[in-house]
Amino acid sequence: RKGLRRGAGSRAGLSTLQGPSLVISAAMRTSVLGLALLSGCSAFSASGSPLPGLGGGAKSCLSNSCFPLRRSSSLGVTGLRGGVGEGKPKLIYFDARGVAETARVMLLAAGEEYEDDRYKMEMVDGKPSVPKFQEDKKSGALAANMGRLPILDIGTAKFGQSHAINRFVATHHGFMGKTPEDAAIIDCLYESIRDAKDAFSKVRFSSVGTEEEKQAKMEEFWSDKKEGLPEWFNKIEQLLVHYTPEDTGFAYGSSPTLADFTIYTWIESLALNDKLAALGSKPWESYPRVNASYNKVLEMDVVQKWIKERPANIF
């Protein structure tokens, strides 16, 4: 067996994994990392032609054409439930887009039918109230995520954490590239976009200052090209160019990946926020690679249909 460098070069250290071979345990096979390593990170070929796999003729309807998916060979299944029992996988979250929207859009793009289980919210004294969620939290029904949401129930397993769910769905449905290196790069992009989102969230949801002061800080961050949101878009833009020098319209390679869906849901959350929309400008439109990735997902037929049919909510 070869180390992480796959025989390239001869420098000692972690990159060559000199010594005993890496042994992948059965437990690791069920982890998200194990799926990424063992599956070959199934996706599409660089040319867009289908790759062989156990998924057979399974297709994902994206935009005006369908890309045949290669399912993970380590899973050997045609859906998240793996053919075990009846019913569909269930994605449990609040009645909001929030941190579950990326997984929802990926499932739609993959053609996977699922149950969109939502806790209904009502506004009480200007704040969201979800009585049923509090009941289930106390009863232990949400133990898979420490009494929190989202939770993905696939029949054979139930687990939480939005990023774990996103990686699992992406790996299973071919949105993590076709090699371990692809998966690492896509994950790098995913985490970099997450850094940008977190930086903006710190400003947007700050508890420091009056409402007027917080709004002023948000407006400043929105347009500050040195330390604000435009600079973060610029950093992501340069990263996309670095990993895919030839402009394909996608964040990485020539087919949709977890990075594209993450860019889409992030920008959509900005575009649909009334306070932010009132600022007028759309800073992401100044960065062609970022904007192209966003539009690739936005223009998918299934996404357009979803936008029209999904529940209307303020989050």
Side-chain angles (χ1 to χ4, degrees), residues 5 12 14 63 72 87 99 102 107 109 138 149 163 174 182 186 189 198 206 218 221 235 241 251 268 272 286 300:
R5 287 181 62 85
L14 176 61
S63 189
S72 166
V99 298
T102 299
L107 287 167
K138 290 179 181 178
L149 295 173
H163 300 298
D182 287 342
I186 292 165
L189 295 173
D198 289 348
S206 173
M218 187 170 67
F221 189 84
K235 289 178 179 179
V241 172
E268 185 190 50
L272 293 180
S286 298
M300 292 178 184

Side-chain angles (χ1 to χ4, degrees), residues 99-115:
V99 298
E101 195 70 359
T102 299
R104 289 180 184 133
V105 174
M106 281 194 292
L107 287 167
L108 290 168
E112 170 98 43
E113 293 186 4
Y114 73 101
E115 184 178 345

Side-chain angles (χ1 to χ4, degrees), residues 250-263:
F250 294 102
Y252 176 71
S254 58
S255 57
T257 67
L258 173 59
D260 294 291
F261 294 110
T262 307
I263 287 173

